Amino acid sequence: MINIPEIFGCNVFNETVMKAKLPKNVYKNLRRTMEKSVPLDMETADVVANAIKDWALELGATHYTHWFQPMTGTTAEKHDSFISIGANGTALMEFSGKALIKGEPDASSFPSGGLRQTSSARGYTAWDPTSYCFVKEGSLYIPTVFVSYTGETLDKKTPLLRSMDALSKSAVRFLKLFGNENVTRVTSTVGAEQEYFLIDKEKYDQREDLILTGRTLFGAKPPKGQELDDQYFANLKPRIAAYMADLDTELWKLGIYSKTKHNEVAPAQHEMAPIFTTSNLGTDQNELAMEVMEKVALRHGLVCLLHEKPFEGVNGSGKHNNWSMSTNDGQNLLDPGDTPMENLQFLTILCALIKGVDEYADLMRLSAASAGNDHRLGADEAPPAIISMFLGEELDAVLKAIEEDGVYKTQAQDFEIGVNALPSFPKDSTDRNRTSPFAFTGNRFEFRMVGSSDNIGCPNALLNTIVAEELSWFADRLEQFKGSDLFEVELKKLLKDVLKTHRRIIFNGDGYSSEWVKEAERRGLPNYPSIVDCMPHYTDEKNLRILRKFGIFNKSELEARTEIHLEKYSKTRRIEARTMIEMARKQLLPAALDYLNKLVLSISAKKEIGMASKTEQKIADKLNDLCDRFYDSIERLEKIVADACKISDVQKQAEFYHDYVLAEMDIMRGIADEIEINMPQDLYPIPTYSEIIYNV
Ligand code: ADP
Ligand code: MG
């Protein structure tokens, strides 16, 4: 029997451990740093470092590493042992405050989008004391941010931390309008539901596409997909259950409150959801969770696929980013509350979000953009690429009442804003709209667009910034009326205006329908189907303005990021195309030709003894034609990829990959899948979809 409270966080240098291991005044200093972001003095840092080291050694650590989240999209770590030279050739285990606070990895091999030339390859990692250190696989992990020597961000974590500060400042100021004089800090929160696939390692090892690209580039649809809806919430097969139990234990040890697990819609697809926490911890924990998910799978002879679209024809995976804000006096700012004033505050925040999401829909869209997610968004299974907001009928009716100076009628009461308390809104899942990219779910918003493998730092950083901007917009206009009788009148006027202008972003209908695409166009909402369409808008003047205003990015940081994303897109497609070519030339085409050869030999042997071979002749003709077309496609794809490589403009190159390389890849796959259908199972050189997704 596993004792959860006992193992929970046993590998984390958390609050409890800090309190127990640090002298009182040192603990107090550290807390201050964590809460108010004041720098830690070297003396305190030395004591903390020594205490962390002793604690880590007890847990079997020999090394420490500054753990960071560069623009590669995965986490990075370089391990140094605690070892130093003692007297008479002995070894000492040492760890200084300096080593805890700052590391200096060679930054030249990380994507920087031209921010950092190799000649000035210096970057450094700085401890983020708001996220806990932990021990894993014999090393002490120190969560850090990664910046260049000239201060530009090179990672996904720094913008997030900056955005959290910006949001806090704006929100604290905003909340004073509603009488919250005691609120000194507002923290954005996140709970990321993580979807994933589990497949057998033996099958995985036979597919070069899965190994090199994380998704299947070939594979005919199996006779059974997800049409029976028999996988969602289905009972757990023993092997999956054992994996999930093991995963839970590992996550708990690392202080991650793994809470929910279930089978998802597609065959072999599952989900894990933790209890929400602050955005920065939530981001670190999600990165860690993904790593642990992959590693635990291997122990079970399984492979965990985090790619957004590992298999065609069944659902892909996303990451539902549940987002809210909480105050240091315990309010959830997206909870309607029990008094008229609390409701007024809630409704104003809601309108701020409506305004923000409408004005910065492009930022929201591009925060979830990646090569993998391009296969999901708008493909009848994930939210469309068009940003809209779902509020539910009740809330929508309340907003209509504000807009039209009316009252909101329920069976029980007539609600007048600022006079009566709002009736409570149903939070049960029947009221959920699962086709909306940004849905209100009773006490938080669920941003459903994010890809399963993506780092959630960027979506949360941009969302925080947008909300920081809108809350300060309201504060700018209302502060002059604070405490006066005019406050409510002016506020209502403002809300009315905002709703009139930005109502178009609210959509409670079916986001997967083709009517919505047309309707959204009529409303003038942007629709960027691909990363190549939305990325150029990162540096639009209005976006640059707020990102600069709150110190999230400057212009060159933003340009660098745009370039990194587009370059990554092109590289991903290039690797996929080359993998296809290699598999086609070395495995699929030879197998098809072998089979064709067999057929031809058999046909001619039969002919010699005067026997007809109608069926074999038919298959041979068909296969012969398919092989010809397949070979032509291989040659074409090779040439197109070579052409793509010659394009030097990053945007143009990405567009070329999107328009031409991807198109030829689709053609080639179509032919290969037809070859697969026409080949005997034992002669086809790679495992089929049925063998992969129904095998565990
Ligand atoms: P569903 O699948 O019905 O959307 P889940 O229970 O799977 O719901 O996931 C909901 C997620 O939302 C959980 O991670 C939960 O902790 C998180 N969540 C709940 N309240 C908040 C909040 N105030 N801020 C951020 N996340 C929240
Ligand atoms: Mg959900």
mmCIF file with all atom_site columns, all heavy atoms in Angstrom, residues 594-608 616 620:
data_model
loop_
_atom_site.group_PDB
_atom_site.id
_atom_site.type_symbol
_atom_site.label_atom_id
_atom_site.label_alt_id
_atom_site.label_comp_id
_atom_site.label_asym_id
_atom_site.label_entity_id
_atom_site.label_seq_id
_atom_site.pdbx_PDB_ins_code
_atom_site.Cartn_x
_atom_site.Cartn_y
_atom_site.Cartn_z
_atom_site.occupancy
_atom_site.B_iso_or_equiv
_atom_site.pdbx_formal_charge
_atom_site.auth_seq_id
_atom_site.auth_comp_id
_atom_site.auth_asym_id
_atom_site.auth_atom_id
_atom_site.pdbx_PDB_model_num
ATOM 1   N N   . ASP A 1 594 ? 9.151  -6.344  -54.222 1.00 0.00 ? 594 ASP A N   1
ATOM 2   C CA  . ASP A 1 594 ? 9.332  -7.769  -53.920 1.00 0.00 ? 594 ASP A CA  1
ATOM 3   C C   . ASP A 1 594 ? 8.045  -8.545  -54.133 1.00 0.00 ? 594 ASP A C   1
ATOM 4   O O   . ASP A 1 594 ? 8.034  -9.620  -54.741 1.00 0.00 ? 594 ASP A O   1
ATOM 5   C CB  . ASP A 1 594 ? 9.735  -7.930  -52.440 1.00 0.00 ? 594 ASP A CB  1
ATOM 6   C CG  . ASP A 1 594 ? 11.235 -8.087  -52.299 1.00 0.00 ? 594 ASP A CG  1
ATOM 7   O OD1 . ASP A 1 594 ? 11.905 -8.087  -53.351 1.00 0.00 ? 594 ASP A OD1 1
ATOM 8   O OD2 . ASP A 1 594 ? 11.718 -8.194  -51.158 1.00 0.00 ? 594 ASP A OD2 1
ATOM 9   N N   . TYR A 1 595 ? 6.995  -7.977  -53.583 1.00 0.00 ? 595 TYR A N   1
ATOM 10  C CA  . TYR A 1 595 ? 5.700  -8.651  -53.696 1.00 0.00 ? 595 TYR A CA  1
ATOM 11  C C   . TYR A 1 595 ? 5.277  -8.709  -55.166 1.00 0.00 ? 595 TYR A C   1
ATOM 12  O O   . TYR A 1 595 ? 4.798  -9.741  -55.653 1.00 0.00 ? 595 TYR A O   1
ATOM 13  C CB  . TYR A 1 595 ? 4.664  -7.915  -52.847 1.00 0.00 ? 595 TYR A CB  1
ATOM 14  C CG  . TYR A 1 595 ? 3.272  -8.500  -52.913 1.00 0.00 ? 595 TYR A CG  1
ATOM 15  C CD1 . TYR A 1 595 ? 3.071  -9.885  -52.814 1.00 0.00 ? 595 TYR A CD1 1
ATOM 16  C CD2 . TYR A 1 595 ? 2.165  -7.680  -53.081 1.00 0.00 ? 595 TYR A CD2 1
ATOM 17  C CE1 . TYR A 1 595 ? 1.796  -10.425 -52.878 1.00 0.00 ? 595 TYR A CE1 1
ATOM 18  C CE2 . TYR A 1 595 ? 0.885  -8.204  -53.137 1.00 0.00 ? 595 TYR A CE2 1
ATOM 19  C CZ  . TYR A 1 595 ? 0.700  -9.576  -53.048 1.00 0.00 ? 595 TYR A CZ  1
ATOM 20  O OH  . TYR A 1 595 ? -0.557 -10.100 -53.109 1.00 0.00 ? 595 TYR A OH  1
ATOM 21  N N   . LEU A 1 596 ? 5.509  -7.613  -55.858 1.00 0.00 ? 596 LEU A N   1
ATOM 22  C CA  . LEU A 1 596 ? 5.166  -7.563  -57.269 1.00 0.00 ? 596 LEU A CA  1
ATOM 23  C C   . LEU A 1 596 ? 5.943  -8.643  -58.025 1.00 0.00 ? 596 LEU A C   1
ATOM 24  O O   . LEU A 1 596 ? 5.394  -9.372  -58.856 1.00 0.00 ? 596 LEU A O   1
ATOM 25  C CB  . LEU A 1 596 ? 5.504  -6.168  -57.824 1.00 0.00 ? 596 LEU A CB  1
ATOM 26  C CG  . LEU A 1 596 ? 5.146  -5.908  -59.287 1.00 0.00 ? 596 LEU A CG  1
ATOM 27  C CD1 . LEU A 1 596 ? 3.660  -6.103  -59.533 1.00 0.00 ? 596 LEU A CD1 1
ATOM 28  C CD2 . LEU A 1 596 ? 5.553  -4.486  -59.687 1.00 0.00 ? 596 LEU A CD2 1
ATOM 29  N N   . ASN A 1 597 ? 7.189  -8.769  -57.692 1.00 0.00 ? 597 ASN A N   1
ATOM 30  C CA  . ASN A 1 597 ? 8.050  -9.764  -58.318 1.00 0.00 ? 597 ASN A CA  1
ATOM 31  C C   . ASN A 1 597 ? 7.513  -11.179 -58.083 1.00 0.00 ? 597 ASN A C   1
ATOM 32  O O   . ASN A 1 597 ? 7.451  -12.004 -58.989 1.00 0.00 ? 597 ASN A O   1
ATOM 33  C CB  . ASN A 1 597 ? 9.457  -9.612  -57.733 1.00 0.00 ? 597 ASN A CB  1
ATOM 34  C CG  . ASN A 1 597 ? 10.487 -10.269 -58.617 1.00 0.00 ? 597 ASN A CG  1
ATOM 35  O OD1 . ASN A 1 597 ? 10.273 -10.390 -59.828 1.00 0.00 ? 597 ASN A OD1 1
ATOM 36  N ND2 . ASN A 1 597 ? 11.584 -10.714 -58.025 1.00 0.00 ? 597 ASN A ND2 1
ATOM 37  N N   . LYS A 1 598 ? 7.105  -11.418 -56.858 1.00 0.00 ? 598 LYS A N   1
ATOM 38  C CA  . LYS A 1 598 ? 6.509  -12.718 -56.513 1.00 0.00 ? 598 LYS A CA  1
ATOM 39  C C   . LYS A 1 598 ? 5.299  -13.004 -57.385 1.00 0.00 ? 598 LYS A C   1
ATOM 40  O O   . LYS A 1 598 ? 5.124  -14.105 -57.903 1.00 0.00 ? 598 LYS A O   1
ATOM 41  C CB  . LYS A 1 598 ? 6.057  -12.667 -55.050 1.00 0.00 ? 598 LYS A CB  1
ATOM 42  C CG  . LYS A 1 598 ? 6.986  -13.384 -54.116 1.00 0.00 ? 598 LYS A CG  1
ATOM 43  C CD  . LYS A 1 598 ? 6.289  -13.651 -52.800 1.00 0.00 ? 598 LYS A CD  1
ATOM 44  C CE  . LYS A 1 598 ? 7.371  -14.091 -51.828 1.00 0.00 ? 598 LYS A CE  1
ATOM 45  N NZ  . LYS A 1 598 ? 7.271  -13.534 -50.537 1.00 0.00 ? 598 LYS A NZ  1
ATOM 46  N N   . LEU A 1 599 ? 4.461  -11.990 -57.510 1.00 0.00 ? 599 LEU A N   1
ATOM 47  C CA  . LEU A 1 599 ? 3.247  -12.154 -58.301 1.00 0.00 ? 599 LEU A CA  1
ATOM 48  C C   . LEU A 1 599 ? 3.598  -12.473 -59.753 1.00 0.00 ? 599 LEU A C   1
ATOM 49  O O   . LEU A 1 599 ? 3.041  -13.395 -60.358 1.00 0.00 ? 599 LEU A O   1
ATOM 50  C CB  . LEU A 1 599 ? 2.404  -10.868 -58.251 1.00 0.00 ? 599 LEU A CB  1
ATOM 51  C CG  . LEU A 1 599 ? 1.730  -10.530 -56.924 1.00 0.00 ? 599 LEU A CG  1
ATOM 52  C CD1 . LEU A 1 599 ? 1.173  -9.108  -56.956 1.00 0.00 ? 599 LEU A CD1 1
ATOM 53  C CD2 . LEU A 1 599 ? 0.609  -11.521 -56.626 1.00 0.00 ? 599 LEU A CD2 1
ATOM 54  N N   . VAL A 1 600 ? 4.550  -11.721 -60.276 1.00 0.00 ? 600 VAL A N   1
ATOM 55  C CA  . VAL A 1 600 ? 4.917  -11.891 -61.682 1.00 0.00 ? 600 VAL A CA  1
ATOM 56  C C   . VAL A 1 600 ? 5.481  -13.294 -61.931 1.00 0.00 ? 600 VAL A C   1
ATOM 57  O O   . VAL A 1 600 ? 5.126  -13.955 -62.911 1.00 0.00 ? 600 VAL A O   1
ATOM 58  C CB  . VAL A 1 600 ? 5.937  -10.801 -62.093 1.00 0.00 ? 600 VAL A CB  1
ATOM 59  C CG1 . VAL A 1 600 ? 6.516  -11.096 -63.462 1.00 0.00 ? 600 VAL A CG1 1
ATOM 60  C CG2 . VAL A 1 600 ? 5.270  -9.439  -62.089 1.00 0.00 ? 600 VAL A CG2 1
ATOM 61  N N   . LEU A 1 601 ? 6.331  -13.751 -61.024 1.00 0.00 ? 601 LEU A N   1
ATOM 62  C CA  . LEU A 1 601 ? 6.886  -15.100 -61.168 1.00 0.00 ? 601 LEU A CA  1
ATOM 63  C C   . LEU A 1 601 ? 5.786  -16.146 -61.153 1.00 0.00 ? 601 LEU A C   1
ATOM 64  O O   . LEU A 1 601 ? 5.784  -17.092 -61.939 1.00 0.00 ? 601 LEU A O   1
ATOM 65  C CB  . LEU A 1 601 ? 7.888  -15.377 -60.033 1.00 0.00 ? 601 LEU A CB  1
ATOM 66  C CG  . LEU A 1 601 ? 9.218  -14.630 -60.129 1.00 0.00 ? 601 LEU A CG  1
ATOM 67  C CD1 . LEU A 1 601 ? 10.085 -14.941 -58.908 1.00 0.00 ? 601 LEU A CD1 1
ATOM 68  C CD2 . LEU A 1 601 ? 9.955  -15.009 -61.409 1.00 0.00 ? 601 LEU A CD2 1
ATOM 69  N N   . SER A 1 602 ? 4.854  -15.934 -60.236 1.00 0.00 ? 602 SER A N   1
ATOM 70  C CA  . SER A 1 602 ? 3.760  -16.889 -60.116 1.00 0.00 ? 602 SER A CA  1
ATOM 71  C C   . SER A 1 602 ? 2.890  -16.878 -61.374 1.00 0.00 ? 602 SER A C   1
ATOM 72  O O   . SER A 1 602 ? 2.484  -17.937 -61.870 1.00 0.00 ? 602 SER A O   1
ATOM 73  C CB  . SER A 1 602 ? 2.938  -16.551 -58.881 1.00 0.00 ? 602 SER A CB  1
ATOM 74  O OG  . SER A 1 602 ? 1.744  -17.268 -58.892 1.00 0.00 ? 602 SER A OG  1
ATOM 75  N N   . ILE A 1 603 ? 2.649  -15.659 -61.876 1.00 0.00 ? 603 ILE A N   1
ATOM 76  C CA  . ILE A 1 603 ? 1.824  -15.553 -63.085 1.00 0.00 ? 603 ILE A CA  1
ATOM 77  C C   . ILE A 1 603 ? 2.494  -16.300 -64.251 1.00 0.00 ? 603 ILE A C   1
ATOM 78  O O   . ILE A 1 603 ? 1.858  -17.098 -64.948 1.00 0.00 ? 603 ILE A O   1
ATOM 79  C CB  . ILE A 1 603 ? 1.583  -14.062 -63.456 1.00 0.00 ? 603 ILE A CB  1
ATOM 80  C CG1 . ILE A 1 603 ? 0.673  -13.404 -62.413 1.00 0.00 ? 603 ILE A CG1 1
ATOM 81  C CG2 . ILE A 1 603 ? 0.952  -13.941 -64.838 1.00 0.00 ? 603 ILE A CG2 1
ATOM 82  C CD1 . ILE A 1 603 ? 0.659  -11.883 -62.481 1.00 0.00 ? 603 ILE A CD1 1
ATOM 83  N N   . SER A 1 604 ? 3.800  -16.083 -64.411 1.00 0.00 ? 604 SER A N   1
ATOM 84  C CA  . SER A 1 604 ? 4.447  -16.722 -65.560 1.00 0.00 ? 604 SER A CA  1
ATOM 85  C C   . SER A 1 604 ? 4.576  -18.235 -65.361 1.00 0.00 ? 604 SER A C   1
ATOM 86  O O   . SER A 1 604 ? 4.492  -18.999 -66.309 1.00 0.00 ? 604 SER A O   1
ATOM 87  C CB  . SER A 1 604 ? 5.793  -16.058 -65.862 1.00 0.00 ? 604 SER A CB  1
ATOM 88  O OG  . SER A 1 604 ? 6.692  -16.335 -64.829 1.00 0.00 ? 604 SER A OG  1
ATOM 89  N N   . ALA A 1 605 ? 4.744  -18.662 -64.092 1.00 0.00 ? 605 ALA A N   1
ATOM 90  C CA  . ALA A 1 605 ? 4.794  -20.109 -63.827 1.00 0.00 ? 605 ALA A CA  1
ATOM 91  C C   . ALA A 1 605 ? 3.466  -20.765 -64.177 1.00 0.00 ? 605 ALA A C   1
ATOM 92  O O   . ALA A 1 605 ? 3.406  -21.846 -64.762 1.00 0.00 ? 605 ALA A O   1
ATOM 93  C CB  . ALA A 1 605 ? 5.145  -20.364 -62.363 1.00 0.00 ? 605 ALA A CB  1
ATOM 94  N N   . LYS A 1 606 ? 2.388  -20.060 -63.795 1.00 0.00 ? 606 LYS A N   1
ATOM 95  C CA  . LYS A 1 606 ? 1.058  -20.613 -64.082 1.00 0.00 ? 606 LYS A CA  1
ATOM 96  C C   . LYS A 1 606 ? 0.820  -20.693 -65.587 1.00 0.00 ? 606 LYS A C   1
ATOM 97  O O   . LYS A 1 606 ? 0.216  -21.637 -66.093 1.00 0.00 ? 606 LYS A O   1
ATOM 98  C CB  . LYS A 1 606 ? -0.011 -19.751 -63.425 1.00 0.00 ? 606 LYS A CB  1
ATOM 99  C CG  . LYS A 1 606 ? -0.197 -20.057 -61.950 1.00 0.00 ? 606 LYS A CG  1
ATOM 100 C CD  . LYS A 1 606 ? -1.331 -19.231 -61.402 1.00 0.00 ? 606 LYS A CD  1
ATOM 101 C CE  . LYS A 1 606 ? -1.521 -19.477 -59.920 1.00 0.00 ? 606 LYS A CE  1
ATOM 102 N NZ  . LYS A 1 606 ? -2.429 -18.475 -59.334 1.00 0.00 ? 606 LYS A NZ  1
ATOM 103 N N   . LYS A 1 607 ? 1.275  -19.630 -66.260 1.00 0.00 ? 607 LYS A N   1
ATOM 104 C CA  . LYS A 1 607 ? 1.084  -19.565 -67.701 1.00 0.00 ? 607 LYS A CA  1
ATOM 105 C C   . LYS A 1 607 ? 1.704  -20.793 -68.369 1.00 0.00 ? 607 LYS A C   1
ATOM 106 O O   . LYS A 1 607 ? 1.129  -21.391 -69.267 1.00 0.00 ? 607 LYS A O   1
ATOM 107 C CB  . LYS A 1 607 ? 1.732  -18.285 -68.234 1.00 0.00 ? 607 LYS A CB  1
ATOM 108 C CG  . LYS A 1 607 ? 1.077  -17.781 -69.518 1.00 0.00 ? 607 LYS A CG  1
ATOM 109 C CD  . LYS A 1 607 ? 1.772  -16.535 -70.029 1.00 0.00 ? 607 LYS A CD  1
ATOM 110 C CE  . LYS A 1 607 ? 0.847  -15.327 -70.037 1.00 0.00 ? 607 LYS A CE  1
ATOM 111 N NZ  . LYS A 1 607 ? 1.607  -14.075 -70.207 1.00 0.00 ? 607 LYS A NZ  1
ATOM 112 N N   . GLU A 1 608 ? 2.875  -21.203 -67.877 1.00 0.00 ? 608 GLU A N   1
ATOM 113 C CA  . GLU A 1 608 ? 3.584  -22.329 -68.477 1.00 0.00 ? 608 GLU A CA  1
ATOM 114 C C   . GLU A 1 608 ? 2.805  -23.622 -68.413 1.00 0.00 ? 608 GLU A C   1
ATOM 115 O O   . GLU A 1 608 ? 2.899  -24.463 -69.295 1.00 0.00 ? 608 GLU A O   1
ATOM 116 C CB  . GLU A 1 608 ? 4.940  -22.506 -67.791 1.00 0.00 ? 608 GLU A CB  1
ATOM 117 C CG  . GLU A 1 608 ? 6.060  -21.994 -68.673 1.00 0.00 ? 608 GLU A CG  1
ATOM 118 C CD  . GLU A 1 608 ? 7.364  -21.892 -67.931 1.00 0.00 ? 608 GLU A CD  1
ATOM 119 O OE1 . GLU A 1 608 ? 7.689  -22.827 -67.174 1.00 0.00 ? 608 GLU A OE1 1
ATOM 120 O OE2 . GLU A 1 608 ? 8.049  -20.850 -68.112 1.00 0.00 ? 608 GLU A OE2 1
ATOM 121 N N   . GLU A 1 616 ? -4.165 -12.594 -59.555 1.00 0.00 ? 616 GLU A N   1
ATOM 122 C CA  . GLU A 1 616 ? -2.774 -12.154 -59.420 1.00 0.00 ? 616 GLU A CA  1
ATOM 123 C C   . GLU A 1 616 ? -2.442 -11.073 -60.443 1.00 0.00 ? 616 GLU A C   1
ATOM 124 O O   . GLU A 1 616 ? -1.726 -10.117 -60.144 1.00 0.00 ? 616 GLU A O   1
ATOM 125 C CB  . GLU A 1 616 ? -1.824 -13.340 -59.571 1.00 0.00 ? 616 GLU A CB  1
ATOM 126 C CG  . GLU A 1 616 ? -1.747 -14.171 -58.310 1.00 0.00 ? 616 GLU A CG  1
ATOM 127 C CD  . GLU A 1 616 ? -1.067 -15.502 -58.552 1.00 0.00 ? 616 GLU A CD  1
ATOM 128 O OE1 . GLU A 1 616 ? -1.354 -16.133 -59.589 1.00 0.00 ? 616 GLU A OE1 1
ATOM 129 O OE2 . GLU A 1 616 ? -0.253 -15.903 -57.716 1.00 0.00 ? 616 GLU A OE2 1
ATOM 130 N N   . ALA A 1 620 ? -1.200 -7.408  -59.546 1.00 0.00 ? 620 ALA A N   1
ATOM 131 C CA  . ALA A 1 620 ? 0.100  -7.008  -60.099 1.00 0.00 ? 620 ALA A CA  1
ATOM 132 C C   . ALA A 1 620 ? -0.027 -5.705  -60.888 1.00 0.00 ? 620 ALA A C   1
ATOM 133 O O   . ALA A 1 620 ? 0.808  -4.797  -60.750 1.00 0.00 ? 620 ALA A O   1
ATOM 134 C CB  . ALA A 1 620 ? 0.657  -8.113  -60.979 1.00 0.00 ? 620 ALA A CB  1
#
